[in-house]
Amino acid sequence: MTAGFEDVIDAFARAQQDDPGNAQLCVYHRGRLVVDLWTTRPTAHGPFGPDHVCLTMSCTKGMTATCVHLLAQRGEVDYDAPVATYWPDFASGGKERITVADVLAHRSGLAAFDPDAPIAADDLTDWHKTVGALARTEPLWEPGTAFAYHAVTYGYLAGEIVRRVDGRSLGQFLADEVAAPLDLDLWIGLPEDEEHRVVPQTDAGSAVDPDLFLRLLADAGVDTGSRLIRGYVAAAAQAANGAALNRREMHAAQIPAGNGIANARSLARMYAALIGPVDGVRLLNQKTVDDARAPQTDHLHSPAPLDQLPAPFPLRFGLGYELHRTAVPMLGPGSFGHSGAGGRLAFAHPERNTAVGYTCTRMAWDFHSGPDTRWLPWTQALENSLSRL
């Protein structure tokens, strides 16, 4: 623990005292590790520790976005180019004008697989089947005119752009271009010899409830038989299948919207390297960071009939990263990163030269009720520490 950040220790302890699961918290400041904390409740492999790794759920989307930005920074991907420039068979079904930026900002209209030709949960491990299905799917709304969270499809869309441009799978690109230079314990597609380090998530599926979603829609007078609603509810059910994500075959697969595996040290170190050098390695330059965190959805609304639902904590996106919002405040305006179902969180704040990774093993965050209460004590303590520097 670096001097000046001592209050974060007590705050983390308070935050976790009523949580029967385990958690890790790591903070980098000006490229240096300043906070490195973890709980020590028992696991099947002894007390929990900093080297255990966990499912990061939708924090995975931040890893995936980073890979696309690396290619854009090298001039190999143009955010404003049609996806079909890189993936020609994607142009079918009215998708010829969908841009890379539309995909990254959840504006593409492909928030779900075709509800009339659904993809089963077990099919999510089959890359060619999933991307083939998306290439055939017609958008659920006019691309670019609205946005809605692409909970599952985001990873296949962005990941296939990477594969078509670079030739490597998204998971291999991440391993070679992000994890290896920074010596990270971070994977999309976990090697078998690392499986013993994974601590399963508990209360799997508690953070997303498709039945509740259907009731909210029905109570709002929404036609739950519409193509958009059928697709969106199916996507929610796939995202809620947290128990399946505890299986080895799910860890081994590449599901770049949600099955990333990492520890807090690696999440924080990756985000630190997005905004500045870490042991001589910087991933993104300042222009790319500014492009990536520029708001992309503030002028848009959810597509009809999703726009009939109450939205107390509306989503905000840059290019692939979540931006500061009520339910995911991070360190306020300027922050960018991604939360994950159940309470995972990873982000950076460039102006404060700070990056954070938080992992947990119990899915406890209900996104309808605001920020995860486990985040609040240490976030405030971190804010206070930074303000004193």
Side-chain angles (χ1 to χ4, degrees):
M1 174 69 65
T2 297
F5 293 88
E6 295 88 351
D7 291 350
V8 181
I9 300 176
D10 291 338
F12 176 71
R14 292 197 309 274
Q16 295 301 138
Q17 64 185 358
D18 295 325
D19 183 1
N22 279 294
Q24 302 162 333
L25 173 65
C26 187
V27 180
Y28 273 73
H29 181 61
R30 295 175 180 165
R32 296 187 303 113
L33 178 65
V34 295
V35 174
D36 192 15
L37 302 171
W38 59 91
T39 57
T40 58
R41 293 185 174 92
T43 74
H45 303 291
F48 188 74
D51 293 322
H52 281 106
V53 293
C54 312
L55 280 160
T56 65
M57 301 302 285
S58 284
C59 292
T60 311
K61 292 181 175 72
M63 305 176 200
T64 300
T66 297
C67 295
V68 178
H69 291 307
L70 282 169
L71 290 174
Q73 185 169 264
R74 297 169 187 174
E76 298 180 58
V77 166
D78 180 346
Y79 300 126
D80 295 324
V83 172
T85 303
Y86 313 107
W87 178 3
D89 44 337
F90 183 80
S92 67
K95 302 192 297 297
E96 62 276 0
R97 290 190 298 276
I98 294 174
T99 66
V100 173
D102 288 332
V103 165
L104 292 174
H106 300 258
R107 301 185 309 228
S108 76
L110 296 170
F113 295 98
D114 186 345
D116 297 317
I119 291 287
D122 286 344
D123 292 331
L124 296 179
T125 62
D126 187 331
W127 186 267
H128 294 290
K129 186 168 188 174
T130 52
V131 299
L134 287 169
R136 295 188 298 273
T137 299
E138 295 182 6
L140 297 171
W141 65 85
E142 181 64 30
T145 64
F147 83 105
Y149 190 44
H150 291 37
V152 177
T153 56
Y154 169 93
Y156 299 112
L157 293 166
E160 185 66 1
I161 292 169
V162 170
R163 192 182 75 86
R164 295 281 178 144
V165 170
D166 180 79
R168 285 173 286 183
S169 69
L170 188 284
Q172 191 62 56
F173 186 95
L174 180 75
D176 294 344
E177 304 291 343
V178 178
L182 289 163
D183 193 23
L184 305 181
D185 290 325
L186 180 149
W187 299 272
I188 298 176
L190 184 74
E192 188 169 4
D193 60 1
E194 301 289 352
E195 182 67 29
H196 68 283
R197 299 173 58 191
V198 180
V199 177
Q201 59 185 7
T202 60
D203 295 336
S206 63
V208 183
D209 185 345
D211 291 334
L212 172 61
F213 188 33
L214 273 175
R215 289 197 299 274
L216 288 171
L217 290 164
D219 290 346
V222 172
D223 175 12
T224 56
S226 73
R227 183 169 176 266
L228 170 60
I229 297 304
R230 287 187 293 114
Y232 213 70
V233 171
Q238 290 168 335
N241 194 13
L245 285 173
N246 282 331
R247 303 201 308 254
R248 167 61 197 157
E249 58 267 34
M250 286 294 192
H251 297 171
Q254 295 189 30
I255 307 175
N259 84 327
I261 291 177
N263 53 28
R265 286 175 173 173
S266 295
L267 289 171
R269 188 171 170 87
M270 184 194 83
Y271 273 95
L274 298 185
I275 62 173
V278 177
D279 294 333
V281 176
R282 178 164 185 174
L283 295 176
L284 302 183
N285 60 37
Q286 189 60 51
K287 180 183 184 305
T288 305
V289 168
D290 289 341
D291 288 344
R293 64 176 175 154
Q296 298 290 323
T297 58
D298 288 356
H299 62 296
L300 298 174
H301 298 284
S302 298
L306 286 178
D307 59 349
Q308 298 179 41
L309 283 178
F313 306 114
L315 293 163
R316 297 183 67 229
F317 289 105
L319 290 174
Y321 301 113
E322 278 190 284
L323 305 181
H324 157 77
R325 60 190 179 97
T326 305
V328 187
M330 302 186 239
L331 286 176
S335 303
F336 70 97
H338 221 290
S339 58
R344 291 81 169 164
L345 183 63
F347 66 89
H349 193 294
E351 287 71 30
R352 290 179 163 183
N353 294 300
T354 301
V356 175
Y358 174 80
T359 66
C360 54
T361 63
R362 187 176 72 92
M363 293 189 70
W365 177 36
D366 179 353
F367 62 88
H368 296 287
S369 62
D372 191 317
T373 57
R374 292 170 295 182
W375 300 342
L376 301 179
W378 56 258
T379 300
Q380 185 59 61
L382 179 57
E383 290 257 18
N384 293 341
S385 296
L386 291 169
S387 68
R388 292 193 296 263
L389 295 177

